[in-house]
PDB file of all heavy atoms in Angstrom:
ATOM      1  N   TRP E  70      64.187  16.524  31.557  1.00 82.00           N
ATOM      2  CA  TRP E  70      63.244  15.500  31.485  1.00 82.00           C
ATOM      3  C   TRP E  70      63.440  14.391  32.566  1.00 82.00           C
ATOM      4  O   TRP E  70      62.454  13.785  33.015  1.00 82.00           O
ATOM      5  CB  TRP E  70      63.129  14.753  30.103  1.00 82.00           C
ATOM      6  CG  TRP E  70      62.373  15.574  29.184  1.00 82.00           C
ATOM      7  CD1 TRP E  70      62.857  16.080  27.996  1.00 82.00           C
ATOM      8  CD2 TRP E  70      60.947  15.936  29.187  1.00 82.00           C
ATOM      9  NE1 TRP E  70      61.852  16.809  27.287  1.00 82.00           N
ATOM     10  CE2 TRP E  70      60.651  16.661  27.988  1.00 82.00           C
ATOM     11  CE3 TRP E  70      59.911  15.638  30.084  1.00 82.00           C
ATOM     12  CZ2 TRP E  70      59.457  17.131  27.704  1.00 82.00           C
ATOM     13  CZ3 TRP E  70      58.620  16.136  29.693  1.00 82.00           C
ATOM     14  CH2 TRP E  70      58.429  16.942  28.626  1.00 82.00           C
ATOM     15  N   TYR E 167      55.669  23.843  28.445  1.00 93.00           N
ATOM     16  CA  TYR E 167      55.426  24.167  27.006  1.00 93.00           C
ATOM     17  C   TYR E 167      54.604  25.484  26.881  1.00 93.00           C
ATOM     18  O   TYR E 167      53.780  25.701  27.760  1.00 93.00           O
ATOM     19  CB  TYR E 167      54.556  23.123  26.318  1.00 93.00           C
ATOM     20  CG  TYR E 167      55.374  21.849  25.918  1.00 93.00           C
ATOM     21  CD1 TYR E 167      55.410  20.701  26.778  1.00 93.00           C
ATOM     22  CD2 TYR E 167      56.143  21.776  24.737  1.00 93.00           C
ATOM     23  CE1 TYR E 167      56.135  19.540  26.444  1.00 93.00           C
ATOM     24  CE2 TYR E 167      56.972  20.716  24.421  1.00 93.00           C
ATOM     25  CZ  TYR E 167      56.919  19.641  25.296  1.00 93.00           C
ATOM     26  OH  TYR E 167      57.632  18.520  25.010  1.00 93.00           O
ATOM     27  N   ASN E 171      51.621  25.281  22.062  1.00 91.00           N
ATOM     28  CA  ASN E 171      51.848  23.741  22.169  1.00 91.00           C
ATOM     29  C   ASN E 171      50.733  23.132  22.913  1.00 91.00           C
ATOM     30  O   ASN E 171      50.586  21.932  22.843  1.00 91.00           O
ATOM     31  CB  ASN E 171      53.296  23.404  22.794  1.00 91.00           C
ATOM     32  CG  ASN E 171      54.153  23.224  21.617  1.00 91.00           C
ATOM     33  OD1 ASN E 171      53.923  22.577  20.647  1.00 91.00           O
ATOM     34  ND2 ASN E 171      55.406  23.707  21.795  1.00 91.00           N
ATOM     35  N   LEU E 172      50.007  23.820  23.797  1.00 93.00           N
ATOM     36  CA  LEU E 172      48.944  23.315  24.588  1.00 93.00           C
ATOM     37  C   LEU E 172      47.602  23.686  23.964  1.00 93.00           C
ATOM     38  O   LEU E 172      46.784  22.820  23.667  1.00 93.00           O
ATOM     39  CB  LEU E 172      49.041  23.674  26.012  1.00 93.00           C
ATOM     40  CG  LEU E 172      47.984  23.183  26.949  1.00 93.00           C
ATOM     41  CD1 LEU E 172      47.985  21.493  27.046  1.00 93.00           C
ATOM     42  CD2 LEU E 172      48.085  23.602  28.382  1.00 93.00           C
ATOM     43  N   SER E 174      46.282  24.283  21.215  1.00 87.00           N
ATOM     44  CA  SER E 174      46.580  24.316  19.832  1.00 87.00           C
ATOM     45  C   SER E 174      45.395  24.862  19.003  1.00 87.00           C
ATOM     46  O   SER E 174      45.548  25.258  17.910  1.00 87.00           O
ATOM     47  CB  SER E 174      46.874  22.856  19.440  1.00 87.00           C
ATOM     48  OG  SER E 174      46.695  22.555  18.080  1.00 87.00           O
ATOM     49  N   GLU E 175      44.138  24.761  19.463  1.00 86.00           N
ATOM     50  CA  GLU E 175      43.046  25.193  18.718  1.00 86.00           C
ATOM     51  C   GLU E 175      42.825  26.706  18.829  1.00 86.00           C
ATOM     52  O   GLU E 175      42.429  27.360  17.851  1.00 86.00           O
ATOM     53  CB  GLU E 175      41.792  24.402  18.972  1.00 86.00           C
ATOM     54  CG  GLU E 175      41.631  23.243  18.034  1.00 86.00           C
ATOM     55  CD  GLU E 175      40.420  22.418  18.471  1.00 86.00           C
ATOM     56  OE1 GLU E 175      40.519  21.715  19.527  1.00 86.00           O
ATOM     57  OE2 GLU E 175      39.462  22.506  17.685  1.00 86.00           O
ATOM     58  N   SER E 186      57.551  31.227   8.549  1.00 83.00           N
ATOM     59  CA  SER E 186      58.092  29.958   9.077  1.00 83.00           C
ATOM     60  C   SER E 186      59.615  29.977   9.021  1.00 83.00           C
ATOM     61  O   SER E 186      60.190  29.213   9.713  1.00 83.00           O
ATOM     62  CB  SER E 186      57.464  28.745   8.449  1.00 83.00           C
ATOM     63  OG  SER E 186      57.229  28.993   7.113  1.00 83.00           O
ATOM     64  N   GLN E 189      61.565  29.986  12.218  1.00 83.00           N
ATOM     65  CA  GLN E 189      61.719  28.760  13.122  1.00 83.00           C
ATOM     66  C   GLN E 189      63.052  28.004  13.051  1.00 83.00           C
ATOM     67  O   GLN E 189      63.407  27.392  14.001  1.00 83.00           O
ATOM     68  CB  GLN E 189      60.461  27.873  12.846  1.00 83.00           C
ATOM     69  CG  GLN E 189      60.290  26.942  14.006  1.00 83.00           C
ATOM     70  CD  GLN E 189      58.923  26.305  13.978  1.00 83.00           C
ATOM     71  OE1 GLN E 189      58.320  26.238  12.963  1.00 83.00           O
ATOM     72  NE2 GLN E 189      58.516  25.739  15.098  1.00 83.00           N
ATOM     73  N   GLU E 198      61.938  23.951  22.851  1.00 84.00           N
ATOM     74  CA  GLU E 198      60.645  24.485  23.017  1.00 84.00           C
ATOM     75  C   GLU E 198      60.058  24.280  24.478  1.00 84.00           C
ATOM     76  O   GLU E 198      58.959  24.776  24.755  1.00 84.00           O
ATOM     77  CB  GLU E 198      59.568  23.892  22.005  1.00 84.00           C
ATOM     78  CG  GLU E 198      59.512  22.437  22.076  1.00 84.00           C
ATOM     79  CD  GLU E 198      58.537  21.946  21.053  1.00 84.00           C
ATOM     80  OE1 GLU E 198      58.101  22.664  20.197  1.00 84.00           O
ATOM     81  OE2 GLU E 198      58.232  20.726  21.052  1.00 84.00           O
TER      82      GLU E 198
ATOM     83  N   ALA A  51      51.615  20.361  20.794  1.00 92.00           N
ATOM     84  CA  ALA A  51      51.104  20.541  19.547  1.00 92.00           C
ATOM     85  C   ALA A  51      52.123  20.575  18.420  1.00 92.00           C
ATOM     86  O   ALA A  51      51.889  20.203  17.224  1.00 92.00           O
ATOM     87  CB  ALA A  51      50.341  21.829  19.504  1.00 92.00           C
ATOM     88  N   SER A  52      53.341  20.840  18.802  1.00 88.00           N
ATOM     89  CA  SER A  52      54.439  20.852  17.704  1.00 88.00           C
ATOM     90  C   SER A  52      54.654  19.421  17.223  1.00 88.00           C
ATOM     91  O   SER A  52      55.186  19.242  16.122  1.00 88.00           O
ATOM     92  CB  SER A  52      55.686  21.455  18.308  1.00 88.00           C
ATOM     93  OG  SER A  52      56.052  20.702  19.380  1.00 88.00           O
ATOM     94  N   ARG A  59      44.612  18.466  20.980  1.00 96.00           N
ATOM     95  CA  ARG A  59      43.282  19.063  20.824  1.00 96.00           C
ATOM     96  C   ARG A  59      42.201  18.176  21.449  1.00 96.00           C
ATOM     97  O   ARG A  59      41.329  18.469  22.054  1.00 96.00           O
ATOM     98  CB  ARG A  59      42.911  19.248  19.352  1.00 96.00           C
ATOM     99  CG  ARG A  59      43.772  20.458  18.819  1.00 96.00           C
ATOM    100  CD  ARG A  59      43.590  20.511  17.178  1.00 96.00           C
ATOM    101  NE  ARG A  59      44.476  21.667  16.731  1.00 96.00           N
ATOM    102  CZ  ARG A  59      44.559  21.847  15.544  1.00 96.00           C
ATOM    103  NH1 ARG A  59      44.009  21.179  14.578  1.00 96.00           N
ATOM    104  NH2 ARG A  59      45.514  22.852  15.162  1.00 96.00           N
ATOM    105  N   ASN A  62      42.541  18.353  25.168  1.00 95.00           N
ATOM    106  CA  ASN A  62      41.901  19.655  25.748  1.00 95.00           C
ATOM    107  C   ASN A  62      40.372  19.588  25.784  1.00 95.00           C
ATOM    108  O   ASN A  62      39.751  19.940  26.707  1.00 95.00           O
ATOM    109  CB  ASN A  62      42.281  20.777  24.851  1.00 95.00           C
ATOM    110  CG  ASN A  62      43.649  21.326  25.144  1.00 95.00           C
ATOM    111  OD1 ASN A  62      44.153  21.131  26.219  1.00 95.00           O
ATOM    112  ND2 ASN A  62      44.355  21.863  24.067  1.00 95.00           N
ATOM    113  N   ARG A  63      39.748  18.972  24.688  1.00 96.00           N
ATOM    114  CA  ARG A  63      38.317  18.876  24.725  1.00 96.00           C
ATOM    115  C   ARG A  63      37.884  17.900  25.803  1.00 96.00           C
ATOM    116  O   ARG A  63      36.842  18.222  26.456  1.00 96.00           O
ATOM    117  CB  ARG A  63      37.823  18.248  23.303  1.00 96.00           C
ATOM    118  CG  ARG A  63      37.709  19.335  22.232  1.00 96.00           C
ATOM    119  CD  ARG A  63      37.990  18.686  20.859  1.00 96.00           C
ATOM    120  NE  ARG A  63      38.195  19.865  19.921  1.00 96.00           N
ATOM    121  CZ  ARG A  63      37.211  20.429  19.213  1.00 96.00           C
ATOM    122  NH1 ARG A  63      36.007  19.924  19.414  1.00 96.00           N
ATOM    123  NH2 ARG A  63      37.494  21.357  18.462  1.00 96.00           N
ATOM    124  N   GLU A  81      57.229  15.525  25.595  1.00 90.00           N
ATOM    125  CA  GLU A  81      57.826  15.035  24.263  1.00 90.00           C
ATOM    126  C   GLU A  81      57.575  13.564  24.062  1.00 90.00           C
ATOM    127  O   GLU A  81      57.427  12.815  25.060  1.00 90.00           O
ATOM    128  CB  GLU A  81      59.198  15.473  24.122  1.00 90.00           C
ATOM    129  CG  GLU A  81      60.200  14.777  25.057  1.00 90.00           C
ATOM    130  CD  GLU A  81      61.602  15.198  24.788  1.00 90.00           C
ATOM    131  OE1 GLU A  81      61.881  16.338  24.391  1.00 90.00           O
ATOM    132  OE2 GLU A  81      62.546  14.326  24.973  1.00 90.00           O
ATOM    133  N   PRO A 442      61.530  21.773  12.072  1.00 87.00           N
ATOM    134  CA  PRO A 442      60.967  22.139  13.296  1.00 87.00           C
ATOM    135  C   PRO A 442      59.411  22.165  13.206  1.00 87.00           C
ATOM    136  O   PRO A 442      58.737  22.147  14.339  1.00 87.00           O
ATOM    137  CB  PRO A 442      61.483  23.541  13.614  1.00 87.00           C
ATOM    138  CG  PRO A 442      61.980  23.987  12.306  1.00 87.00           C
ATOM    139  CD  PRO A 442      62.350  22.896  11.517  1.00 87.00           C
ATOM    140  N   SER A 443      58.817  22.213  12.102  1.00 89.00           N
ATOM    141  CA  SER A 443      57.376  22.206  12.035  1.00 89.00           C
ATOM    142  C   SER A 443      56.903  21.916  10.673  1.00 89.00           C
ATOM    143  O   SER A 443      57.725  21.862   9.756  1.00 89.00           O
ATOM    144  CB  SER A 443      56.753  23.668  12.450  1.00 89.00           C
ATOM    145  OG  SER A 443      57.155  24.595  11.386  1.00 89.00           O
ATOM    146  N   GLU A 449      58.026  25.284   3.721  1.00 91.00           N
ATOM    147  CA  GLU A 449      58.923  26.314   3.375  1.00 91.00           C
ATOM    148  C   GLU A 449      60.057  25.764   2.592  1.00 91.00           C
ATOM    149  O   GLU A 449      60.474  26.282   1.526  1.00 91.00           O
ATOM    150  CB  GLU A 449      59.469  26.937   4.693  1.00 91.00           C
ATOM    151  CG  GLU A 449      60.453  28.134   4.310  1.00 91.00           C
ATOM    152  CD  GLU A 449      59.714  29.504   4.472  1.00 91.00           C
ATOM    153  OE1 GLU A 449      58.679  29.581   5.019  1.00 91.00           O
ATOM    154  OE2 GLU A 449      60.284  30.419   3.804  1.00 91.00           O
ATOM    155  N   ARG A 470      48.376  25.803   2.356  1.00 92.00           N
ATOM    156  CA  ARG A 470      49.612  26.342   1.887  1.00 92.00           C
ATOM    157  C   ARG A 470      50.199  25.429   0.708  1.00 92.00           C
ATOM    158  O   ARG A 470      50.780  26.019  -0.264  1.00 92.00           O
ATOM    159  CB  ARG A 470      50.530  26.307   3.080  1.00 92.00           C
ATOM    160  CG  ARG A 470      51.760  27.298   2.821  1.00 92.00           C
ATOM    161  CD  ARG A 470      52.528  27.513   4.167  1.00 92.00           C
ATOM    162  NE  ARG A 470      53.801  27.970   3.730  1.00 92.00           N
ATOM    163  CZ  ARG A 470      54.827  28.308   4.570  1.00 92.00           C
ATOM    164  NH1 ARG A 470      54.600  28.165   5.900  1.00 92.00           N
ATOM    165  NH2 ARG A 470      55.936  28.724   4.156  1.00 92.00           N
TER     166      ARG A 470
END
Side-chain angles (χ1 to χ4, degrees):
Chain E
W70 280 115
Y167 282 98
N171 266 318
L172 179 63
S174 156
E175 268 178 285
S186 36
Q189 197 164 19
E198 60 180 6
Chain A
S52 58
R59 287 171 186 177
N62 282 332
R63 280 153 192 267
E81 65 176 36
S443 69
E449 181 93 25
R470 197 171 163 179

